[in-house]
Amino acid sequence: MERIILLETSTALCSAAIAEDGQIVAYRESTGPRSHASLTAVYVKEMLDSRQCTAKDCSAVCVSMGPGSYTGLRVGVSTAKGLCFGAGIPLLAVGTLEVLVAQAILEGLLPDGCRHIVPMIDARRMEVYTAVFTAEGKRLTETSPLVVSEESFRELREEGPVLFIGDGAGKCAEILASGNSHFIQCCPKASSMLIPATTEYKEKRFKDVAYFEPFYLKEFVATSSKKKLF
């Protein structure tokens, strides 16, 4: 049996799932603040117990590798690595934007006549991490940070219906409003990793468990608190 543990912790939603032979058979999620570190491993154990198996009975672990929250990505990747090391199974990774695209297609969220899907991960203020995909899920551009303006994606919006989806989509609705613009504010979910994770597994695109790092896109910058302690 092909059994894959799926972990999605790149945004505010912490979620995990188990896929068996191309079907989601267990799923857990939480939108609680700072829940990733405390719940990710717990969810995995609960799901494995519900299926009466252990990580050693799984074929692989797949983690959403970013871009996204620095802390969330670290939690997801660390949990995935721990499972892989402990059970001796391979590590897979899929991009967060690909997960959002798969989610749009899987859940039937595309507007009629949709030409393009533009997943957006919130990067604070009016900046997002984004890329352009066809309505069938084919990537057309590389992932990059973008400060959204009225000119952003103008050609796409003039061509036909465009779906903007992700936790950065809502804040762009007013500035990108047009007759062809459609917005869905949501977070990527572990259950939506099913198709890209299965593809990665079948094509044996395994990651190096020891050296794999999340796709942060931007360097993490630590800042000192300006609050006085005394």
Side-chain angles (χ1 to χ4, degrees):
M1 176 186 291
E2 180 184 291
R3 180 183 287 124
I4 304 175
I5 299 171
L6 309 172
L7 303 176
E8 219 311 327
T9 60
S10 64
T11 63
L13 180 70
C14 172
S15 63
I18 291 180
E20 293 180 358
D21 292 335
Q23 299 290 328
I24 298 296
V25 296
Y27 180 74
R28 300 285 191 282
E29 71 170 43
S30 172
T31 56
R34 300 182 180 88
S35 62
H36 298 58
S38 60
L39 290 179
T40 304
V42 172
Y43 283 164
V44 172
K45 186 179 187 308
E46 287 179 356
M47 293 189 299
L48 290 174
D49 288 346
S50 73
R51 304 304 296 172
Q52 298 182 329
C53 64
T54 68
K56 291 183 178 180
D57 299 311
C58 297
S59 306
V61 179
C62 185
V63 65
S64 180
M65 65 180 179
S69 158
Y70 177 87
T71 302
L73 291 173
R74 293 301 298 177
V75 169
V77 170
S78 296
T79 303
K81 284 186 173 186
L83 289 165
C84 291
F85 271 124
I89 56 178
L91 174 67
L92 302 168
V94 296
T96 307
L97 298 184
E98 281 81 356
V99 177
L100 282 169
V101 171
Q103 192 162 307
I105 296 173
L106 185 66
E107 297 186 1
L109 303 177
L110 304 186
D112 291 342
C114 184
R115 298 285 300 275
H116 297 95
I117 304 172
V118 180
M120 291 178 158
I121 295 296
D122 188 14
R124 298 182 182 180
R125 297 187 178 87
M126 285 308 297
E127 189 172 18
V128 295
Y129 301 130
T130 189
V132 177
F133 294 75
T134 67
E136 294 72 38
K138 179 181 177 182
R139 176 185 282 274
L140 297 179
T141 66
E142 294 300 312
T143 300
S144 63
L146 172 70
V147 177
V148 179
S149 70
E150 293 180 354
E151 294 302 312
S152 300
F153 309 107
R154 180 175 292 278
E155 290 185 5
L156 295 185
R157 290 183 282 139
E158 291 176 349
E159 285 181 24
V162 181
L163 175 64
F164 297 94
I165 183 171
D167 70 343
K171 70 180 183 182
C172 301
E174 183 175 351
I175 197 169
L176 296 179
S178 73
N180 284 327
S181 298
H182 301 264
F183 302 88
I184 295 180
Q185 176 77 11
C186 67
C187 293
K189 300 186 293 188
S191 54
S192 300
M193 297 170 66
L194 176 64
I195 294 176
T198 299
T199 299
E200 292 293 302
Y201 180 75
K202 291 187 182 302
E203 297 183 2
K204 300 186 184 302
R205 292 201 283 260
F206 304 133
K207 304 300 182 183
D208 187 311
V209 178
Y211 295 102
F212 176 74
E213 290 291 331
F215 178 41
Y216 296 121
L217 197 59
K218 284 185 175 182
E219 291 293 328
F220 175 70
V221 179
T223 58
S224 300
S225 173
K226 295 181 179 180
K227 295 181 179 180
K228 293 183 178 180
L229 299 180
F230 301 99

